[in-house]
Amino acid sequence: AQSVTQLDSQVPVFEEAPVELRCNYSSSVSVYLFWYVQYPNQGLQLLLKYLSGSTLVKGINGFEAEFNKSQTSFHLRKPSVHISDTAEYFCAVSDRNRGSTLGRLYFGRGTQLTVWP
Amino acid sequence: DAGITQSPRYKITETGRQVTLMCHQTWSHSYMFWYRQDLGHGLRLIYYSAAADITDKGEVPDGYVVSRSKTENFPLTLESATRSQTSVYFCASSVLGQGDEQYFGPGTRLTVT
């Protein structure tokens, strides 16, 4: 089973500043990696995903994440945040070590990003 | 383009009552999921379904019952609600399974008094 750790439960930042939300997972077996965003009073929506290929993944709203296999990390970054980026962000990891089937999805506990004017 | 909908959006019920949360998706996705979201716990999987009439337990199934007679519907029933089941419940769907991109509904906020 995977364990997904989001190292910061809350990240406050000023508008137009850069931000990094950190995510580490426990197992070094082949994985799929996801970042989801949840705006207030809404469900989660996919921000970006890593399945294979380039370790730098670009997502919606100017976010990107980098897969680092040796450090088992998948940190989310944005060079300049907006107030509208205020939301909770969830990292999720899926095992893919069960042949051709996709495994379970494990969520981190979330990071609340608050952008101040 | 309705996507995935949940009803009701808000529900208050009393301890011991039965309550059913509805989930409907218009994409014909094979997989559907129920999660609960609680402060400090993130999302926890309650039940999931791989297809009509195929369901399986997730991390926290106790006190919940699901059914899936049609691909598009996946209701979640609390047979005898308890205060510990006060939570926000999310339904989700995906094409290929748990490890695939999931599409979430807007959630149901349930309060058990």
Side-chain angles (χ1 to χ4, degrees), chain B:
Chain B
D1 181 84
I4 185 164
T5 56
Q6 293 183 237
S7 61
R9 293 292 315 276
Y10 302 90
K11 177 75 176 178
I12 300 174
T13 192
E14 295 178 342
T15 300
R17 288 193 180 269
Q18 183 180 81
V19 60
T20 296
L21 310 183
M22 304 301 293
C23 178
H24 176 79
Q25 54 114 347
T26 60
W27 295 306
S28 299
H29 286 171
S30 294
Y31 286 81
M32 296 187 75
F33 312 89
W34 274 107
Y35 293 91
R36 59 177 291 173
Q37 184 179 31
D38 303 289
L39 204 61
H41 289 279
L43 280 93
R44 292 182 289 176
L45 183 66
I46 305 171
Y47 268 97
Y48 69 98
S49 169
D53 298 321
I54 301 175
T55 62
D56 206 351
K57 296 178 180 179
E59 298 174 65
V60 289
D62 293 342
Y64 303 95
V65 174
V66 293
S67 62
R68 194 158 176 216
S69 57
K70 293 184 178 181
T71 300
E72 60 266 30
N73 297 323
F74 191 39
L76 175 74
T77 298
L78 289 66
E79 292 189 301
S80 178
T82 65
R83 289 197 182 90
S84 65
Q85 292 177 310
T86 292
S87 186
V88 181
Y89 291 85
F90 288 100
C91 180
S93 70
S94 77
V95 175
L96 296 176
Q98 290 188 62
D100 189 23
E101 174 181 351
Q102 294 187 23
Y103 298 83
F104 285 80
T108 294
R109 184 174 295 275
L110 176 68
T111 302
V112 183
T113 62

Side-chain angles (χ1 to χ4, degrees), chain A:
Chain A
Q2 286 280 354
S3 173
V4 182
T5 303
Q6 292 184 241
L7 295 158
D8 304 297
S9 60
Q10 299 198 32
V11 173
V13 64
F14 287 108
E15 195 172 19
E16 298 183 7
V19 70
E20 179 180 79
L21 306 184
R22 296 178 292 170
C23 174
N24 287 87
Y25 58 96
S26 58
S27 174
S28 61
V29 297
S30 295
V31 293
Y32 296 128
L33 299 158
F34 306 83
W35 276 99
Y36 285 86
V37 59
Q38 183 181 28
Y39 298 104
N41 296 315
Q42 294 185 28
L44 281 71
Q45 63 184 84
L46 185 71
L47 202 56
L48 50 78
K49 61 185 176 184
Y50 170 80
L51 303 182
S52 65
S54 173
T55 57
L56 184 63
V57 180
K58 293 190 184 297
I60 61 172
N61 301 337
F63 283 92
E64 62 182 31
E66 186 157 19
F67 168 51
N68 188 319
K69 186 175 181 179
S70 63
Q71 297 188 4
T72 60
S73 69
F74 190 54
H75 300 333
L76 181 70
R77 301 185 182 101
K78 186 170 183 179
S80 176
V81 293
H82 302 289
I83 289 177
S84 60
D85 292 323
T86 294
E88 187 145 24
Y89 292 79
F90 291 92
C91 180
V93 178
S94 168
D95 288 332
R96 53 171 176 166
N97 60 347
R98 301 180 186 179
S100 61
T101 59
L102 295 173
R104 274 199 56 193
L105 189 66
Y106 301 86
F107 282 92
R109 293 190 175 186
T111 298
Q112 174 65 43
L113 173 66
T114 302
V115 182
W116 298 99

